[in-house]
Amino acid sequence: MDEIFDVAVIGYGPTGLVAASLLGQAGHRVVVCERWPSLYGLPRLTHIDAETARAVQAASDVDVALRDSTPTTYLWVNGRDEQLLKLDPPPTTAMGFAANMSMYQPDVEDAIDERVRAQPNVELRQGWAVTGLTQDDSSVELTLAPWSTADAEVDAGAREQRVRARYVIAADGSKSSVRELLGIEREDFGFNERWVNFDTEWLRPAPDEYKVSKQYCDPARGHMYMHIGNHRQRFEFALLADETQEEFERPETAWRLLREAHGLGPEDVRIIRQIVYTFEARVAERWSDGRVFLAGDAVHTMPPYLGQGACSGIRDSVNLAWKLDLVLRGLADASLLDAYETERRPHATAVVQMAMGLGAIANMHDPVKAEERDAVFMSGQIPPPVGLPPLTDGLLHRGPDGEVTLPTGALVPQGTVTVRGGTGRFDDVVGRGFALVSSIDVDGLLSPEQRHFLDTIGCHVVHLDHNVIDEDGLHASYLKGIGAVAYLARPDFALFGAVADAAEIGALVDELRTALVGSIVSSASSGVTV
């Protein structure tokens, strides 16, 4: 077996799709191993945020992927339909997309899959399950066997395949076979609630009242609905302690609940999916083992109340992809990959805990405690929800005291810009990857070695309103807001660092160079300077 891939991606849901697309577009040889013979084709995730949309932009034609999407308002009410909380996000953010969007997952997956299949260096092996894994100091060997959808199990009698790759990204879901093969346990945060999911299509125009995401925090039975794009609707209902999964997966149960809660029947909607989920909160004790990295639900699962499950998995892929790209190209030491868990674990764990907090509100079954909860919300004593946390550790600029301080680790903006007559979103027009963005000309401030380093890692050097026209002024406004003359952004949209003094720009570049390789990169230039 002489053939060896750069990366094997196991699992072809949103997390695996994004990883395969980004690494394939970077020119690496990628093999995708997925037990299902085709894409799932039904909506599981229904929400993405602006950061995730920007990642989808990198992995696909985002306008095709989000063609059936709409900004979403979140409304939380009690059992009497009295408002507890309303989140009405702006339709656009500094990332170039709405803060929260309802979307149709198959559209997103189809668009990314199309981009993946356009890469001749990416090979798809769908219908194959991973049954074995061994690794040494240079590669990982995977054993694959055909997977039958008829009985949902591996056909042990069929001919096996073996695949070798330098690195593996295991994005094979919450029941990850790779995690089990590696013997990695998960920390259980003790959240376990069963809810039944009904995905439906409207048989008539959706009433306006359903064009929001609405959570009923009813102690008798929590339930909710959210729109899926413009033509579909999800309904969910909590199962009580004495109720069975079998009962709640019967069609008659769905129609009874929809009629009782919303007055809807077969004349209004068509049910396209009905399934009982156990919402859980678990994080793997280790995020990697040698050359194998867990991502998405394989490494963290969370209740759905924050809409961040798939978003968190896609963040994993974006974080891993640029680090693997540099390591595979010999532009960074393999120790860079250690920063994956360092950066992502605290962020994902915080999101899990935030989702659990909202889940506790939605699953409050004690009527007395629910009344107390309602009184606190209605008194205005509840502070507005905080946003998602920034990165707090890892490959980030540090101050004189060695600490990371905001805005470092937070997200950088994506405005509308023009380069050589072409106008569009920053990432599309300037390019993806590292970006050094400044309000001044940095040419005389960087040594030839520093400029060569930036070229080598593919860093785009942007002088606002000179080589890149800042059409909506978003990037200049961002610099002014953080009191900086220049900032250096990472490929995952996180701020590596910013400086207030032009004389410090060279030191900022040196800090990144040292963090990546410890010395000047001597490879041939492969970067782009606009």
Side-chain angles (χ1 to χ4, degrees):
M1 184 175 56
D2 296 326
E3 182 180 38
I4 183 168
F5 293 90
D6 293 317
V7 181
V9 176
I10 304 172
Y12 203 45
T15 301
L17 278 156
V18 170
S21 178
L22 297 182
L23 287 164
Q25 290 181 79
H28 302 293
R29 293 206 63 221
V30 177
V31 60
V32 177
C33 308
E34 165 59 52
R35 63 178 183 169
W36 289 93
S38 62
L39 295 176
Y40 188 63
L42 290 172
R44 286 169 293 185
L45 76 102
T46 60
H47 161 270
I48 60 173
D49 57 24
E51 178 188 357
T52 312
R54 191 172 179 182
V56 172
Q57 176 191 348
S60 70
D61 183 333
V62 70
D63 295 315
V64 172
L66 299 181
R67 64 184 181 272
D68 187 14
S69 65
T70 181
T72 297
T73 293
Y74 284 87
L75 184 62
W76 288 57
V77 300
N78 63 15
R80 295 183 295 272
D81 206 12
E82 298 168 333
Q83 181 175 310
L84 302 177
L85 177 67
K86 184 179 182 182
L87 301 178
D88 199 3
T92 58
T93 68
M95 298 294 281
F97 299 94
N100 295 292
M101 284 178 282
S102 162
M103 38 66 70
Y104 185 52
Q105 179 179 348
D107 287 347
V108 175
E109 293 191 344
D110 287 345
I112 302 175
D113 179 63
E114 182 176 352
R115 178 70 59 85
V116 170
R117 292 178 186 275
Q119 311 303 316
N121 47 305
V122 180
E123 180 178 321
L124 296 179
R125 299 194 186 183
Q126 292 170 288
W128 291 85
V130 174
T131 59
L133 180 154
T134 60
Q135 59 179 316
D136 55 30
D137 292 340
S138 63
S139 67
V140 183
E141 182 175 299
L142 302 172
T143 302
L144 311 180
W147 189 79
S148 171
T149 58
D151 55 5
E153 64 181 24
V154 172
D155 184 353
R159 183 173 58 86
E160 294 181 334
Q161 292 185 357
R162 284 179 170 76
V163 170
R164 288 178 63 220
R166 291 181 172 86
Y167 293 97
V168 169
I169 298 176
D172 53 339
S174 62
K175 298 179 181 179
S176 170
S177 61
V178 174
R179 188 185 65 236
E180 292 183 2
L181 288 168
L182 295 173
I184 296 177
E185 301 294 333
R186 292 184 295 169
E187 180 182 1
D188 188 341
F189 289 84
F191 188 99
N192 294 281
E193 296 285 345
R194 296 177 303 154
W195 284 59
V196 64
N197 176 112
F198 311 133
D199 285 338
T200 67
E201 286 182 340
W202 284 101
L203 301 178
R204 57 185 174 86
D208 287 344
E209 66 183 282
Y210 291 100
K211 295 179 181 178
V212 299
S213 294
K214 189 173 183 179
Q215 181 79 48
Y216 290 84
C217 304
D218 187 346
R221 185 191 301 278
H223 60 105
M224 61 84 67
Y225 61 72
M226 64 174 63
H227 54 155
I228 304 174
N230 293 295
H231 310 293
R232 301 168 184 88
Q233 197 82 25
R234 171 167 294 173
F235 299 90
E236 292 182 350
F237 295 83
L239 273 68
L240 305 181
D242 59 346
E243 294 174 333
T244 66
Q245 177 175 336
E246 291 75 19
E247 176 189 357
F248 275 71
E249 289 183 343
R250 295 172 186 155
E252 56 267 28
T253 302
W255 293 122
R256 174 176 62 81
L257 292 171
L258 290 174
R259 183 73 71 183
E260 291 174 355
H262 305 296
L264 297 174
E267 67 277 10
D268 301 298
V269 296
R270 179 174 71 89
I271 296 175
I272 58 177
R273 184 169 179 258
Q274 180 174 349
I275 188 171
V276 171
Y277 282 109
T278 297
F279 299 148
E280 62 179 29
R282 299 182 182 183
V283 177
E285 294 179 352
R286 292 183 288 122
W287 286 46
S288 64
D289 185 295
R291 291 174 169 265
V292 182
F293 297 86
L294 303 179
D297 284 352
V299 72
H300 47 66
T301 56
M302 64 191 70
Y305 307 100
L306 201 60
Q308 284 294 318
C311 296
S312 295
I314 289 173
R315 287 189 192 94
D316 295 341
S317 288
V318 177
N319 188 295
L320 265 176
W322 72 263
K323 291 181 170 71
L324 282 168
D325 173 48
L326 291 179
V327 172
L328 287 165
R329 288 196 287 142
L331 303 181
D333 187 81
S335 61
L336 173 64
L337 300 173
D338 296 338
Y340 168 60
E341 180 172 351
T342 300
E343 294 173 357
R344 290 293 304 133
R345 175 188 283 277
H347 189 281
T349 303
V351 173
V352 169
Q353 292 170 341
M354 292 166 67
M356 288 174 58
L358 289 175
I361 296 171
N363 290 281
M364 191 169 287
H365 303 299
D366 185 324
V368 175
K369 291 183 178 179
E371 288 290 344
E372 295 172 351
R373 172 204 65 197
D374 296 353
V376 172
F377 270 95
M378 292 177 181
S379 70
Q381 297 177 34
I382 299 295
V386 298
L388 298 182
L391 299 180
T392 57
D393 200 356
L395 191 78
L396 299 169
H397 166 71
R398 298 172 188 275
D401 58 358
E403 297 297 317
V404 175
T405 58
L406 287 173
T408 299
L411 299 173
V412 299
Q414 173 180 226
T416 300
V417 299
T418 297
V419 177
R420 302 189 190 99
T423 301
R425 299 182 182 101
F426 183 95
D427 295 351
D428 293 333
V429 177
V430 172
R432 298 177 179 86
F434 289 96
L436 176 61
V437 180
S438 71
S439 58
I440 59 175
D441 185 359
V442 302
D443 280 346
L445 303 173
L446 298 175
S447 69
E449 292 83 2
Q450 290 166 338
R451 190 56 186 254
H452 178 62
F453 163 72
L454 293 178
D455 287 345
T456 302
I457 64 170
C459 181
H460 307 281
V461 179
V462 173
H463 182 188
L464 294 174
D465 291 332
H466 287 77
N467 63 344
V468 174
I469 307 303
D470 192 16
E471 296 289 354
D472 51 14
L474 186 61
H475 299 273
S477 177
Y478 173 75
L479 279 169
K480 183 178 180 180
I482 64 174
V485 296
Y487 70 83
L488 184 53
R490 308 184 341 170
D492 54 2
F493 328 129
L495 178 67
F496 171 77
V499 294
D501 187 334
E504 298 174 343
I505 294 175
L508 184 67
V509 172
D510 285 341
E511 185 178 356
L512 175 63
R513 177 176 55 177
T514 300
L516 291 179
V517 294
S519 62
I520 297 172
V521 175
S522 59
S523 303
S525 174
S526 60
V528 178
T529 302
V530 295

